[in-house]
Amino acid sequence: MDDPGDETYQDAAQVLESALAGDEDAVANTFDSVVDRRGMSAAYDVAWRLAGEMVGDNLVRGPWRLEFPDIDDANYDQRWVARFVSAYANEDEPSATALFTVALVDGKLEECLLTLAGSAVATLKRRGAA
């Protein structure tokens, strides 16, 4: 059987490729496919990997306070992405899981995942990695 980590990596790569091409439908379809194949927890794993792409490999571990000026005035999806990435940077999986679950219950998860994918691509472009 394939390693789920490899499948998560491949799914995240597909999301990034679709987001890079500006194809929101393909991003959403990839997440839908992940859920169909492996469940909602697998979609969370892909989102966690996307947050990792944004943070990068050279993060020194420790408590981080990420500043997002005027975050309370931002749209739901933008606030969600900022908080999800912050949870990743702080290795705070309980908070990330709660954010993911609340967005699902609020009916905003797809919008949040699209914004996360777009933000990850924008971050990679700024670094020259995309």
Side-chain angles (χ1 to χ4, degrees):
M1 177 177 268
D2 291 335
D3 179 0
D6 290 343
E7 202 166 351
T8 300
Y9 176 83
Q10 292 167 357
D11 291 331
Q14 182 62 47
V15 166
L16 289 172
E17 184 178 311
S18 297
L20 185 59
D23 190 345
E24 287 186 1
D25 288 339
V27 171
N29 289 339
T30 300
F31 274 109
D32 288 344
S33 173
V34 168
V35 172
D36 289 346
R37 283 184 285 119
R38 299 187 295 128
M40 192 58 72
S41 66
Y44 169 87
D45 292 342
V46 172
W48 191 251
R49 186 169 294 268
L50 293 176
E53 289 294 327
M54 290 180 69
V55 170
D57 294 332
N58 298 319
L59 178 68
V60 176
R61 297 295 174 207
W64 292 99
R65 180 180 168 97
L66 303 180
E67 297 295 328
F68 301 101
D70 301 318
I71 190 64
D72 291 327
D73 297 328
N75 293 332
Y76 185 105
D77 58 319
Q78 294 165 334
R79 287 191 316 269
W80 185 91
V81 168
R83 291 176 176 139
F84 192 80
V85 171
S86 180
Y88 180 90
N90 285 297
E91 297 180 315
D92 184 359
E93 287 195 56
S95 291
T97 300
L99 286 162
F100 193 90
T101 302
V102 168
L104 177 63
V105 169
D106 286 349
K108 302 280 189 177
L109 185 59
E110 182 175 331
E111 179 182 348
C112 292
L113 294 175
L114 288 171
T115 301
L116 177 62
S119 296
V121 165
T123 299
L124 292 172
K125 283 182 177 179
R126 275 194 307 278
R127 282 194 210 129

